[in-house]
Amino acid sequence: MRARVSAGAVAAIALAVLLVPVLFPLDQQAVNLRETLLPPSWKHPFGTDGNGRDVLLRCVYGLRVSLIVGIVAAFGAALIGTAVGAAAGLLGGRTDRFVMRIVDTFSAVPHLMLGIFVIAMFRPGIWPVIMSIGLTHWLSTTRIVRAEVLSLRDRPYIDAAVSSGASRTRVATRHLLPAVLPQAGLAAVLLVPHAVWHETALSFLGLGLPSHQASLGNMIQDARGTLLAGDWWPTLFPGLFIIVPTLAIAGLAGAWRERLNPRRRSELML
């Protein structure tokens, strides 16, 4: 049931972010001072913001940007983490210890602080945000892939491949990587909501996308003053557009995890 609800929510979100920009083009800098801070109505289901712009339309555009950033950054981070974790687990010895000390060092620093350091070197835009998230979120995937590779190295079929003269490269590409790809893919999916929240936080701090561009973080930042005045809708709906996709993706990832680990699923049902 949870998987079906999550899949339905993800499908609805995907259709919205794909079709709405085509059907309802948005001028990012358009201002309508005659319709500022209108409450939710049939004409504007989510109301308007302080510049008279439709909140629903801007939420969809903002979610579109956040998902693009989250998906690209998450899979980039997963790719880096998979390569580093597989290399550490396969080579072992000093290389493994050196790589894991680097991972421990970066893990000791908050991701947001590292992201701010990376993004401060560039102008505000979507690609600096993607780089900031991708370069700071590969650590967890590295740990997962390394642990999986270490557990696979002692399997009989790996020993048979090595005994038959297979090189490390062949063992890695033909046996180890196909076995760890499901775990790496699950890690990438779980990184997407985290990357969305990270992009929102950077935009809220003024370090993400330009202020005129529709972004959930920018919308919440712009609506802080209106919330104190009692106009709740410019803040509530962008927040919901962050929470609902996060829960939907997390639900799908949970179903995927149960498929990968049926034994753990049976233990949870006891």
Side-chain angles (χ1 to χ4, degrees):
M1 181 65 181
R2 182 186 65 178
R4 293 180 180 178
V5 173
S6 299
V10 170
I13 291 167
L15 288 175
V17 298
L18 290 175
L19 296 180
V20 169
V22 177
L23 300 176
F24 304 97
L26 174 66
D27 184 359
Q28 300 283 355
Q29 299 182 352
V31 174
N32 186 359
L33 298 179
R34 293 177 296 180
E35 296 187 349
T36 59
L37 294 175
L38 295 179
S41 62
W42 286 109
K43 183 179 180 181
H44 301 288
F46 288 2
T48 61
D49 62 9
N51 291 315
R53 297 171 295 194
D54 187 81
V55 173
L56 173 58
L57 193 58
R58 286 180 62 80
C59 281
V60 174
Y61 270 78
L63 179 60
R64 180 171 178 259
V65 171
S66 295
L67 287 177
I68 290 174
V69 171
I71 292 172
V72 175
F75 280 87
L79 184 62
I80 296 173
T82 300
V84 175
L90 184 63
L91 297 176
R94 294 181 178 179
T95 302
D96 183 27
R97 291 193 294 271
F98 176 73
V99 170
M100 296 315 296
R101 294 299 78 76
I102 293 177
V103 171
D104 293 338
T105 301
F106 278 97
S107 298
V109 183
H111 289 168
L112 187 59
M113 185 179 297
L114 281 175
I116 291 174
F117 175 77
V118 173
I119 206 171
M121 297 185 292
F122 303 94
R123 292 182 178 180
I126 189 170
W127 284 110
V129 175
I130 291 175
M131 290 178 56
S132 170
I133 299 173
L135 293 176
T136 56
H137 287 73
W138 54 273
L139 306 173
S140 60
T141 307
T142 298
R143 296 180 186 276
I144 293 171
V145 172
R146 172 184 173 271
E148 193 71 16
V149 170
L150 289 177
S151 68
L152 292 171
R153 282 175 53 181
D154 298 329
R155 300 290 176 86
Y157 71 93
I158 298 295
D159 292 336
V162 174
S163 300
S164 64
S167 63
R168 284 186 173 181
T169 303
R170 183 175 179 82
V171 170
T173 56
R174 293 293 301 271
H175 300 288
L176 293 179
L177 284 180
V180 303
L181 281 180
Q183 295 289 346
L186 177 59
V189 173
L190 288 172
L191 276 175
V192 172
H194 191 77
V196 169
W197 282 85
H198 202 87
E199 181 275 327
T200 302
L202 289 173
S203 296
F204 180 81
L205 294 173
L207 299 172
L209 275 67
S211 58
H212 69 274
Q213 189 169 355
S215 167
L216 298 176
N218 287 340
M219 294 178 66
I220 296 174
Q221 164 68 14
D222 294 339
R224 288 190 306 164
T226 62
L227 180 63
L228 296 176
D231 300 322
W232 47 269
W233 53 92
T235 305
L236 173 64
F237 292 114
L240 290 177
F241 267 69
I242 299 172
I243 295 172
V244 172
T246 299
L247 295 177
I249 295 173
L252 284 181
W256 187 352
R257 182 185 301 161
E258 291 176 357
R259 284 182 174 273
L260 290 177
N261 300 295
R263 179 179 178 182
R264 176 169 175 79
R265 181 183 179 182
S266 61
E267 291 174 355
L268 292 175
M269 292 177 63
L270 293 177

